[in-house]
Every structure is written in C-alpha cells, then in structure tokens.
Amino acid sequence: MSSYAVFLRGVNVGGITIKMAELKEALKGCPFSGVKTLLASGNVVLSSQLSPADVKEEFEACLRERFGYDAWVVVLAADRVGELVAACPYPADDESTHTYLTLGSDAGVLAELYEAGTALDGVELTSLGPEVLAWLAPAGGTLQSPFSKLSAKPKYKASTTTRNLRTMIKVRDAAALL
C-alpha cells in the first residue's frame, strides 16, 4: 500500500464547485483508503495499491463521472511531497513574497513552462524536479505576476496546478499520517 497526495486542478474556481465532503463520498467507490481532503481547494491524501498513473486515471474518471466536468489531477507519492517541500529554496512565510509550487503530471510540459518562465523578466523560478517548479510572487500581486499569467495559459491546464508552499506543508503533514 502506497500513500499519495492528489492535487485537483481548477476546483472551486471558474464555476466548478465541489464540496470536499461530496468529493470524499464520491471516492468511496474507488480503490483508495484513508481518504482525507484538505482545505477547500482540492487537496487529497490517500492510500492505494495502485501505481501513481493508475491513481490519476481512477481519480479523474471518478470526478468526471460524479461531477460532470473535464477533470485533471496531479498525483505525487507522499514521500515525494516531503522531499519537494524540503528542497524548496524559498520561504513559506514572508511579508513581501509568497512561494508557490507548480505541480505537473507531464514532465515535458513542465520543462517547457520552466524554459518560458526563466525567459521572463523579474521571475524567480527554480525547478525542484521533473514534476515541480517553485517560484516567488509579490505579496498581493500573485495573479498579476508574470509567471502566474504564463502558467494560467490554457495549454497548461490539463497537466499543471499550483499550490502555495504553506498548503504543500499541510499536505505533507497529512500524508505522513497515512
């Protein structure tokens, strides 16, 4: 049995509203155990005998069937979440900046996003591995930051999602309890 963190893309924004209690209920029919939802932004920790790719497939199929939208998730092994949080060179709490991790299910797409992001002026961006980019945004100006605008483009929608570092720490801690 392996422990995973699952990050939903675009939940509770843009007209897609899923209550975490309803999500947890929907997942009861899937080959997952110990399902726990975190916050209201689509973060789940769970255990399964499936591979990460199969967890992704099952999870997305469940979302599409139960909630009727074109769902995408990023799945990371629980221990990998801990490694990524530890490797992040930026602070979790800072008055002038916020740290974000953009998670990807397609290493090629994330590599393309990294290359495009590093070409932007004023962007502080670090690759933590083939599945995660860490970046800084000014406090109060995240959505207007150059990298946020870049990563929000429709071509990245199916394979990336972004979380702040504080959320990733909470997910890491919850996954460690599985």
Side-chain angles (χ1 to χ4, degrees), residues 2-151:
S2 298
S3 298
Y4 298 103
V6 181
F7 303 93
L8 287 69
R9 165 72 183 208
V11 171
N12 298 334
V13 294
I16 300 169
T17 303
I18 298 176
K19 292 184 169 113
M20 294 300 101
E22 292 174 4
L23 174 60
K24 191 172 180 178
E25 182 65 29
L27 294 171
K28 284 186 178 179
C30 297
F32 310 138
S33 62
V35 174
K36 182 175 180 181
T37 61
L38 303 151
L39 310 170
S41 57
N43 306 292
V44 177
V45 294
L46 56 82
S47 295
S48 181
Q49 292 184 353
L50 299 176
S51 70
D54 289 339
V55 168
K56 177 179 172 44
E57 184 178 318
E58 285 281 335
F59 206 105
E60 289 176 343
C62 175
L63 292 174
R64 289 175 180 139
E65 181 179 316
R66 176 70 184 267
F67 300 104
Y69 80 102
D70 204 7
W72 297 288
V73 302
V74 175
V75 177
L76 295 175
D79 60 344
R80 185 65 177 145
V81 173
E83 293 169 1
L84 295 167
V85 166
C88 186
Y90 308 126
D93 290 301
D94 182 280
E95 290 183 18
S96 62
T97 60
H98 294 290
T99 300
Y100 292 92
L101 300 182
T102 295
L103 315 167
S105 59
D106 182 322
V109 169
L110 207 62
E112 174 188 318
L113 186 57
Y114 177 75
E115 186 175 323
T118 57
L120 297 171
D121 287 335
V123 172
E124 186 147 357
L125 176 66
T126 301
S127 175
L128 300 180
E131 71 279 71
V132 180
L133 302 177
W135 53 283
L136 290 176
T142 299
L143 296 178
Q144 293 76 35
S145 70
F147 190 77
S148 179
K149 288 179 180 180
L150 172 66
S151 63

